[in-house]
Amino acid sequence: MRKDLKHIVHHTQLLIKSGDKKKLRIYLDSLNISIIEDLIDELPDYAPLIIDTMSANRAINVFRILDVPTQERVIKKLPKLKVSEIMRGLPPDDQTAFLGELKDEELSLQLLSLLSPEDKKEVSTLLAYPEDSVGRLMTPDYLAINKNFTVQETLDTIRLRGKNSETIDVIYVLDDHGVLLDDLRIRDLLLVDPHTPIADLMDDRLISLNAEDPQEEAIKVFKMNNRVALPVIAPDKTLLGIVTIDDVLWLADEEYSEDMQRFGASGTLDEPYLDVPLYKLVWKRAGWLIVLFIGELLTASVMQYYEDQLAKVIVLAMFLPLMISSGGNSGSQASTLIIQAMAVGDVRLSHWWRVFRREIISGLSLGIILGVIGFIRIYVWHFIFPHLYGDHWIMVASTVSLSLVGIVLWGSLIGSMLPFILRRLGADPATSSAPFVATIVDVTGLIIYLTIASIIFGSVLN
């Protein structure tokens, strides 16, 4: 814990124990909201008291940045008046995000009933969009003007309605039917004559999102464009709402966390690790472990099939771990690179053939490098320990060397192509995690190794 945070936690505990809510409120209202979030993480049992003690506006801003499990835990223990203040004070997109994530349907309905009729209608409209769509991210609180306005009329509109808008950095230009024509940045309005017609400022370089688009699309569009907000339109081009950069950053963080959990071959956690019940944590991990365990059982089957060959040339068994790890490592490397490239939009489905060709060259090169190192190692060890590999040391070295070339090449191809296959089937490429790829390559790598051994040691094994 940071020294300053440790001091804040200690001072807060003293104020709570003193029972002086007035002093506690003054102190909490003086802290940055990010510090309050850290404080709640350190004092989870006092989270409802901390939120309840703060002024309404501060409590709303802190509540917005808490994770959903903490929000749910806090909201259940707050007085009804404070709950109402928070729910009514949250922007529509935050209301939607919170209510949409709640597992307790009864609580969700109770909280929805606390909203004003207008807010309830807006939230119900947003909740009607698919869970992972851009429509769930947008807010209807934006500033829009008619194309026939002047700059002065636009500035007057900003003064009149800007306080209730999510952002005034961008103003949206509509026609008489609500169709989005363009967007203007506030600086475009402040640097020209007030009598300038809005039509003279429009450049028709509009970038927008569709309400039905997947949320990952919003991340890509924001990444490629220097915008603090983007408009969301319906199929008929009418403006429905806007998505702001802060919501996209939260979404990107969630996507990253989910991908990291999939890379480790476990189910995604819907709440912080320490808040997940132990039985659920075991269940999330057990599924993938069972699948991987069954896959690895095939390794035993392969070794059983080649049992007689291994018994005759027992030295080959010494290199089984080397083959398994080399293939798994090359496959894991390739899958991680491709999944990451897909996630940021550098690689698309149509690029599969280009990736395949590149991985043939890189996999073959890496295999040759490891194969040469393996051959040199056996050659050197043979002269240091003459009896280690016996009279057939050159055959052992050749088997290991050629097997490494084939296994590393195969691992690279499997690791790079599996994400494409999963994407084509509509699954998440992150599912082709390192352990999953490694399991596939373990089994097939053993077949490659023992097949090459059977060919090279043919006369010895017969």
Side-chain angles (χ1 to χ4, degrees):
M1 191 190 305
R2 302 193 313 267
K3 186 176 180 180
D4 55 341
L5 179 58
K6 187 175 182 179
H7 171 74
I8 291 171
V9 170
H10 178 67
H11 189 62
T12 303
Q13 288 176 312
L14 291 177
L15 289 173
I16 291 172
K17 290 177 181 178
S18 72
D20 193 334
K21 279 200 168 186
K22 185 177 180 180
K23 284 186 178 180
L24 179 60
R25 178 171 181 164
I26 293 172
Y27 181 66
L28 292 174
D29 284 349
S30 70
L31 298 175
N32 188 287
I33 60 171
S34 61
I35 297 295
I36 300 292
E37 182 192 20
D38 291 337
L39 187 61
I40 288 174
D41 287 340
E42 295 298 327
L43 302 172
D45 294 338
Y46 293 109
L49 175 62
I50 291 172
I51 296 291
D52 186 34
T53 303
M54 289 188 296
S55 59
N57 189 55
R58 296 272 299 169
I60 291 166
N61 288 328
V62 171
F63 189 83
R64 289 179 65 183
I65 63 174
L66 299 176
D67 57 76
V68 174
T70 303
Q71 287 179 330
E72 185 172 355
R73 189 170 64 247
V74 168
I75 209 80
K76 288 179 177 180
K77 296 182 179 180
L78 287 176
K80 188 171 182 180
L81 178 61
K82 197 70 173 186
V83 172
S84 181
E85 285 180 348
I86 290 175
M87 290 305 302
R88 287 173 177 266
L90 288 172
D93 55 334
D94 288 321
Q95 292 171 341
T96 303
F98 177 48
L99 294 174
E101 292 284 343
L102 282 179
K103 300 294 187 291
D104 189 334
E105 292 187 13
E106 185 178 345
L107 175 62
S108 181
L109 292 174
Q110 289 175 359
L111 296 177
L112 189 61
S113 68
L114 297 176
L115 303 181
S116 66
E118 183 180 352
D119 285 348
K120 191 183 298 183
K121 181 180 178 181
E122 288 179 349
V123 171
S124 297
T125 300
L126 296 179
L127 287 173
Y129 288 102
E131 184 177 353
D132 295 321
S133 68
V134 169
R136 283 288 188 98
L137 292 176
M138 69 180 180
T139 175
D141 293 338
Y142 56 86
L143 279 174
I145 57 171
N146 188 276
K147 64 178 181 178
N148 299 317
F149 273 29
T150 63
V151 169
Q152 184 60 58
E153 289 174 314
T154 302
L155 293 175
D156 292 340
T157 300
I158 293 173
R159 294 188 187 96
L160 181 65
R161 296 166 41 205
K163 187 176 181 180
N164 297 321
S165 177
E166 184 83 5
T167 177
I168 62 170
D169 292 336
V170 185
I171 315 300
Y172 300 95
V173 184
L174 310 179
D175 68 8
D176 296 331
H177 303 288
V179 173
L180 179 63
L181 301 176
D182 207 345
D183 57 0
L184 300 174
R185 303 184 196 191
I186 189 68
R187 70 179 182 184
D188 297 332
L189 306 174
L190 297 176
L191 299 177
V192 297
D193 186 281
H195 299 97
T196 304
I198 287 298
D200 291 352
L201 302 178
M202 294 168 54
D203 57 14
D204 297 321
R205 290 184 295 181
L206 179 66
I207 300 170
S208 61
L209 300 168
N210 294 309
E212 301 289 341
D213 283 346
Q215 293 177 351
E216 290 84 353
E217 184 65 23
I219 298 175
K220 294 177 184 177
V221 176
F222 268 93
K223 180 188 173 186
M224 300 302 295
N225 299 277
N226 183 26
R227 299 299 179 95
V228 296
L230 283 174
V232 182
I233 59 174
D236 61 359
K237 308 300 182 184
T238 56
L239 182 59
L240 299 174
I242 64 172
V243 173
T244 53
I245 186 64
D246 59 324
D247 291 324
V248 172
L249 288 175
W250 278 102
L251 173 65
D253 183 63
E254 290 178 358
E255 290 290 323
Y256 175 78
S257 297
E258 289 180 2
D259 285 346
M260 288 303 100
Q261 289 162 10
R262 290 193 181 102
F263 284 156
S266 70
T268 58
L269 303 180
D270 300 325
E271 48 193 317
Y273 174 84
L274 293 176
D275 292 337
V276 179
L278 192 56
Y279 78 89
K280 186 182 291 187
L281 186 63
V282 172
W283 178 251
K284 289 280 186 178
R285 297 169 64 179
W288 271 111
L289 280 179
I290 292 170
V291 171
L292 297 176
F293 177 73
I294 293 173
E296 290 290 359
L297 286 177
L298 296 175
T299 303
S301 300
V302 172
M303 293 183 67
Q304 183 179 7
Y305 181 80
Y306 288 95
E307 183 179 5
D308 292 341
Q309 291 92 323
L310 286 172
K312 293 177 181 178
V313 189
I314 196 66
V315 70
L316 294 177
M318 295 170 55
F319 296 97
L320 287 175
L322 175 68
M323 298 300 152
I324 291 174
S325 63
S326 297
N329 290 340
S330 66
S332 299
Q333 276 187 339
S335 66
T336 301
L337 288 172
I338 299 303
I339 291 169
Q340 192 273 339
M342 282 183 167
V344 299
D346 292 341
V347 170
R348 296 187 294 274
L349 266 178
S350 58
H351 294 153
W352 74 270
W353 179 241
R354 290 177 59 188
V355 172
F356 185 82
R357 286 181 300 175
R358 289 171 67 89
E359 286 301 317
I360 286 180
I361 297 172
S362 60
L364 189 60
S365 301
L366 292 169
I368 291 173
I369 291 171
L370 295 186
V372 169
I373 293 173
F375 191 96
I376 293 173
R377 192 268 191 193
I378 293 173
Y379 176 80
V380 171
W381 253 245
H382 170 67
F383 284 97
I384 297 175
F385 309 104
H387 302 293
L388 184 61
Y389 303 118
D391 296 334
H392 304 297
W393 71 269
I394 189 69
M395 297 170 70
V396 174
S398 299
T399 299
V400 169
S401 192
L402 291 175
S403 296
L404 282 171
V405 174
I407 289 172
V408 172
L409 172 60
W410 177 245
S412 297
L413 293 177
I414 288 291
S416 62
M417 291 296 103
L418 194 56
F420 285 100
I421 295 171
L422 291 172
R423 174 65 65 85
R424 171 60 69 184
L425 295 175
D428 189 340
T431 307
S432 58
S433 60
F436 187 55
V437 171
T439 300
I440 295 176
V441 178
D442 285 353
V443 178
T444 51
L446 278 181
I447 295 175
I448 293 172
Y449 174 52
L450 295 175
T451 300
I452 290 175
S454 297
I455 295 172
I456 293 178
F457 282 87
S459 59
V460 176
L461 298 175
N462 292 329

